[in-house]
Amino acid sequence: LYVATGAPGAEGSAWNYDNTQIYKMALDKTNIQLIGSNQVGGRILNQFSMDEYNNYFRITTTKGNAWDEKTKSENFLYVLDDKMAKVGVLDGLAKGERIYSTRFMGDRAFVVTFKTVDPLFVISLKNPQKPEVLGELKIPGWSDYLHPYDENHLIGFGREVDEKVDAD
């Protein structure tokens, strides 16, 4: 069982939603054992932003606000090992945008970010220590939900926007 939440602030202050605290637990009937925990930069969007595959935990997050021109938002993909130690990170993904959807499928991740155009990023996780962007597709609007159709196809559900109107 994995639980993700906003990270505690300094000296017990309010929660810090620019960081995510992750806890990994083993469940055996009514016995619960904490395996490990770690903190990653950024905040998680939803349950589809987390995944476990081949004993690695993967998570995507957004740090900052996409509409704040002074401090650009940034998106991350983290890979943690079975003890919750960070082993890989992909940072700087779509600066100035935020994650709208993520789907992990085997050794790949599909991430949609948005501000005025929807880039769909395909990320290889074959080497957990070095995630890399394989390609991207930009279309107007964004996808809120990504669903695997089969091993080679992905369906995105979202909204279309007029780039000219949204840019203003």
Side-chain angles (χ1 to χ4, degrees):
L1 173 69
Y2 292 93
V3 176
T5 184
E11 298 180 24
S13 65
W15 293 101
N16 173 356
Y17 290 102
D18 259 349
N19 293 299
T20 299
Q21 184 73 36
I22 308 155
Y23 300 93
K24 178 181 179 180
M25 291 166 266
L27 305 175
D28 182 18
K29 297 182 184 172
T30 59
N31 184 30
I32 300 172
Q33 177 187 1
L34 180 65
I35 301 297
S37 69
N38 206 332
Q39 190 174 117
V40 296
R43 65 191 166 283
I44 188 172
L45 176 64
N46 58 28
Q47 73 271 24
F48 299 112
S49 300
M50 300 185 292
D51 180 73
E52 182 188 60
Y53 182 74
N54 285 343
N55 293 318
Y56 289 99
F57 178 78
R58 299 95 62 93
I59 184 170
T60 58
T61 62
T62 299
K63 190 169 194 165
N65 183 341
W67 302 104
D68 182 352
E69 294 300 322
K70 294 176 192 167
T71 309
K72 298 270 187 200
S73 60
E74 187 175 1
N75 301 288
F76 302 87
L77 185 150
Y78 294 96
V79 180
L80 289 77
D81 68 13
D82 60 343
K83 303 288 190 261
M84 299 302 288
K86 290 179 201 167
V87 296
V89 64
L90 177 64
D91 58 4
L93 187 65
K95 285 189 176 187
E97 301 182 4
R98 78 170 178 91
I99 294 175
Y100 270 69
S101 59
T102 299
R103 179 61 78 158
F104 292 95
M105 293 171 57
D107 61 6
R108 288 199 177 158
F110 299 88
V111 179
V112 171
T113 62
F114 178 75
K115 187 162 181 186
T116 57
V117 177
D118 170 353
L120 167 65
F121 294 95
V122 179
I123 301 167
S124 172
L125 296 166
K126 282 186 181 181
N127 180 348
Q129 288 78 28
K130 294 186 180 191
E132 70 173 306
V133 175
L134 296 177
E136 65 182 87
L137 170 67
K138 290 190 177 192
I139 55 175
W142 71 88
S143 297
D144 289 307
Y145 177 74
L146 300 172
H147 190 82
Y149 180 74
D150 61 25
E151 190 175 298
N152 298 310
H153 295 89
L154 183 70
I155 299 171
F157 295 91
R159 300 188 182 181
E160 183 177 359
V161 297
D162 183 340
E163 289 180 72
K164 295 175 200 152
V165 172
D166 199 46
D168 293 339

